[in-house]
Amino acid sequence: MKILAFETSCDDTAVAIVENGTRVLSSVQVSQLEHNQWGGVVPEIAARLHAEAWRPVLEQALAEAKLEMSDIYYIAVTYGPGLQTSLLSGTTAASFLSLLYNIPLLPVHHVYGHLCSVFLEREIKTIHFPALVLTASGGHTEFYLWNDAATWQKLGGSIDDAVGEAFDKLSKMLGLGYPGGPEVSARALQGNRKAFNLPVPNLGKESLDLSFSGVKSAVRRLVLARYPAWLEGDFSKRDEESEAFINDLCASFEETCGRIFKKKLTRIFELHPEIKALYFVGGVSANTYLKSIFEDFVQGYGIKVLTPEKIAYSTDNAAMIGSAAYFQIQNKNALQPMVQHVISKSRLSL
Ligand code: KG4
Ligand code: ZN
């Protein structure tokens, strides 16, 4: 079953074609660079750029997969959460195609897409349930208990900044650019992880929630004490000492993020000894240090940590939405009423 998927929840226009939830026939993406000059995503600009990009991106996705619209069984689209103007662009394009070609439309939750990113280019039998999924990106940091391909329950999440957002803010304070994760983790490799003692928040033993604003504020205080001009955006004075400071701060920050996660993992594994796998998804799962921390942690439980097969499937992409749509269809009892209605009107008998 070939599904054409759209993902436009933020500043990437992504279209993919996925077969049977796992096989990626094509996955095409265009990033909107115009926002860089404004220091953040501008909703109006995002909508305009999505409107301009979706047709060429769709054409490329069909060409790479050597398919035509008549080969497509379903159209899937991210309906939320995300930036409203961006979501509207994707859902409008997908609805238009659905009506034009009489192909049923499936709305997909963005976070469920991230969960299903572990299926991409893998054998379904290698994915074990029940699993703990950590979705970590610029917009969300959440733990989900994933009971089977279609049933998932949120256990906890960040009460303030998402972890990727904290990486991005640290990067901005240090003048390392956006997105911050890749550069901060590259700098961390050259630094001393014990150089600064940053705080791990105490939200109470029973809480499965996380917080990253305390570590971010502690970093800000250190920068303010040593290089206050950086916080005004003036990075003109750089020398060997300040480079070493940056590397140590990045290393200590990553180490503290690792400790914040480990503290919650300990409690989750106490509460849910049935967990058979840990899936680490979202843009931050590209971070090899955090992955290695999780691998060390789960060793005692005899389970594995799995990240998406490619970095392109860790960050926002449309293939994960195509995969999620397939599992929604396969597990129709678990579908939301709106999706069930769409399927009951579809040309397929399930
Ligand atoms: O999933 P994603 O592409 O978009 C959102 O849904 O937000 O994630 C983007 C986030 C950014 O905050 C970026 O800094 C972070 O993922 N990121 C990383 C790394 N690569 C990307 N964070 C830490 N280490 C990385 N290597
Ligand atoms: Zn995302």
Side-chain angles (χ1 to χ4, degrees):
M1 182 193 294
K2 297 179 185 69
I3 297 181
L4 172 71
F6 285 80
E7 153 59 45
T8 64
S9 63
C10 192
D11 55 348
D12 288 321
T13 313
V15 179
I17 301 170
V18 181
E19 188 166 39
N20 296 340
T22 60
R23 204 167 149 237
V24 182
L25 303 180
S26 63
S27 184
V28 182
Q29 194 142 340
V30 172
S31 297
Q32 303 180 344
L33 304 177
E34 206 175 308
H35 301 291
N36 292 355
Q37 61 184 302
W38 305 106
V41 180
V42 183
E44 189 79 5
I45 295 177
R48 174 171 57 76
L49 295 179
H50 282 308
E52 285 168 12
W54 75 263
R55 278 170 42 150
V57 173
L58 166 68
E59 276 161 24
Q60 195 180 332
L62 286 167
E64 282 183 16
K66 299 190 176 55
L67 293 174
E68 308 209 339
M69 286 304 290
S70 55
D71 298 312
I72 303 297
Y73 276 67
Y74 283 96
I75 298 175
V77 61
T78 306
Y79 70 84
L83 188 65
Q84 207 56 38
T85 53
S86 296
L87 291 165
L88 204 54
S89 309
T91 51
T92 306
S95 311
F96 166 73
L97 290 172
S98 164
L99 285 171
L100 188 65
Y101 292 100
N102 193 24
I103 300 172
L105 181 69
L106 286 173
V108 174
H109 193 281
H110 180 79
V111 175
Y112 183 49
H114 275 301
L115 263 60
C116 292
S117 64
V118 292
F119 283 118
L120 296 170
E121 294 183 16
R122 287 212 171 97
E123 296 271 328
I124 291 183
K125 62 174 189 275
T126 62
I127 307 300
H128 300 289
F129 299 104
L132 178 68
V133 189
L134 169 59
T135 59
S137 72
H140 28 85
T141 306
E142 285 141 13
F143 287 115
Y144 289 90
L145 190 60
W146 201 13
N147 294 312
D148 57 53
T151 329
W152 44 297
Q153 165 201 349
K154 185 172 167 182
L155 298 178
S158 177
I159 56 168
D160 39 55
D161 293 348
V163 63
E165 189 182 352
F167 269 87
D168 294 336
K169 287 180 177 169
L170 169 69
S171 180
K172 193 172 177 195
M173 282 185 240
L174 303 178
L176 301 179
Y178 178 88
E183 189 57 24
V184 169
S185 55
R187 291 304 201 104
L189 288 175
Q190 303 167 54
N192 171 7
R193 300 203 184 271
K194 298 279 169 215
F196 300 101
N197 187 16
L198 302 171
V200 171
N202 184 2
L203 300 177
K205 184 173 186 294
E206 294 310 317
S207 168
L208 300 182
D209 286 332
L210 304 142
S211 164
F212 292 93
S213 71
V215 60
K216 179 195 67 186
S217 304
V219 165
R220 194 175 188 284
R221 284 193 293 276
L222 288 166
V223 175
L224 187 65
R226 296 273 291 272
Y227 301 100
W230 292 0
L231 299 180
E232 307 298 322
D234 175 3
F235 302 101
S236 54
K237 288 197 191 74
R238 288 280 224 238
D239 57 20
E240 212 174 297
E241 199 182 316
S242 69
E243 293 302 308
F245 172 77
I246 290 175
N247 296 345
D248 286 348
L249 207 48
C250 290
S252 303
F253 171 80
E254 260 192 1
E255 196 267 348
T256 310
C257 290
R259 279 193 291 135
I260 292 174
F261 281 123
K262 261 199 312 199
K263 188 172 166 183
K264 294 300 159 180
L265 286 174
T266 306
R267 185 65 187 135
I268 291 172
F269 276 79
E270 271 170 20
L271 290 172
H272 296 283
E274 72 276 17
I275 291 171
K276 289 208 179 77
L278 172 60
Y279 301 132
F280 180 28
V281 301
V284 182
S285 65
N287 188 289
T288 47
Y289 173 75
L290 287 175
K291 189 180 177 195
S292 73
I293 291 289
F294 298 151
E295 278 166 347
D296 286 351
F297 176 84
V298 299
Q299 253 186 9
Y301 296 88
I303 65 170
K304 283 195 173 160
V305 179
L306 218 59
T307 52
E309 190 65 29
K310 291 181 181 167
I311 288 186
Y313 303 148
S314 285
T315 50
D316 285 350
N317 66 90
M320 68 184 195
I321 301 300
S323 176
Y326 174 81
F327 291 104
Q328 283 184 178
I329 296 163
Q330 293 298 308
N331 301 278
K332 56 182 172 170
N333 293 339
L335 296 177
Q336 307 152 20
M338 177 166 77
V339 180
Q340 278 175 353
H341 173 76
V342 173
I343 289 190
S344 69
K345 300 257 172 243
S346 82
R347 63 186 158 130
L348 294 176
S349 57
L350 291 165

